[in-house]
Amino acid sequence: MGRKVETALRIPKYVLVSAAGTVVDTAVLWLVSHHIFHSFAGEYLLSPFISFECAVLFNFICSFFLIWKDRMDIGNARAFMSRYLLYNLSCTMTFLLKMGLLLFFKFLFGWDVVICNLTALCVSGIVNFVMSDRVIFR
């Protein structure tokens, strides 16, 4: 099967996993920003970071065992950890993009943190798929 066909077949799985990861991210963000932190820094900086890391772990596990499982050595703990570290680094770079967009939308439109986050996740999700497919799970 050609690379373009493989990529096209992975996209629906990626979208479903990303949607589930977005639910994890948004639920944690809402919980932490509305019930734990009550300052701008807590709501708009720390809360998104915590929710992001929860979603990264969820998405990586799904990516490793479901989306790109044919490229992975499933029983190799070292491969799992090394790819997780690379995945987390890649996601951290896209997290910085997401945070920039989140803050941009907050200051430009004055939206709630959850709406800003969802909008920013759409843009950063595309970047993350490309990095996952071309670099992390190649």
Side-chain angles (χ1 to χ4, degrees):
M1 191 178 326
R3 183 164 178 83
K4 289 182 182 181
V5 173
E6 283 181 359
T7 299
L9 293 174
R10 291 182 206 285
I11 290 173
K13 292 178 189 176
Y14 178 82
V15 169
L16 289 174
V17 167
S18 293
T22 299
V23 170
V24 170
D25 192 329
T26 304
V28 172
L29 177 67
W30 178 83
L31 180 69
V32 175
S33 68
H34 286 82
H35 296 289
I36 296 175
F37 299 113
H38 302 291
S39 67
F40 179 84
E43 286 184 51
Y44 287 90
L45 299 174
L46 192 54
S47 295
F49 175 77
I50 292 168
S51 68
F52 164 78
E53 281 299 327
C54 291
V56 165
L57 181 59
F58 174 85
N59 286 347
F60 176 76
I61 289 169
C62 291
S63 295
F64 191 89
F65 291 107
L66 299 173
I67 300 172
W68 285 280
K69 68 180 178 184
D70 59 311
R71 296 181 184 176
M72 301 297 101
D73 181 3
I74 299 296
N76 185 337
R78 185 175 179 185
F80 180 88
M81 288 307 298
S82 65
R83 291 204 189 262
Y84 176 69
L85 292 174
L86 184 59
Y87 184 81
N88 205 330
L89 178 63
S90 171
C91 287
T92 298
M93 289 186 290
T94 55
F95 172 75
L96 295 174
L97 171 65
K98 181 190 95 158
M99 286 303 299
L101 290 169
L102 185 151
L103 294 172
F104 174 75
F105 295 139
K106 169 61 181 166
F107 289 115
L108 187 63
F109 303 114
W111 296 340
D112 182 77
V113 65
V114 173
I115 301 301
C116 293
N117 188 64
L118 289 171
T119 306
L121 279 171
C122 290
V123 175
S124 61
I126 294 167
V127 173
N128 198 36
F129 176 82
V130 172
M131 288 299 294
S132 293
D133 189 57
R134 307 292 174 166
V135 178
I136 296 157
F137 299 107
R138 65 180 161 162

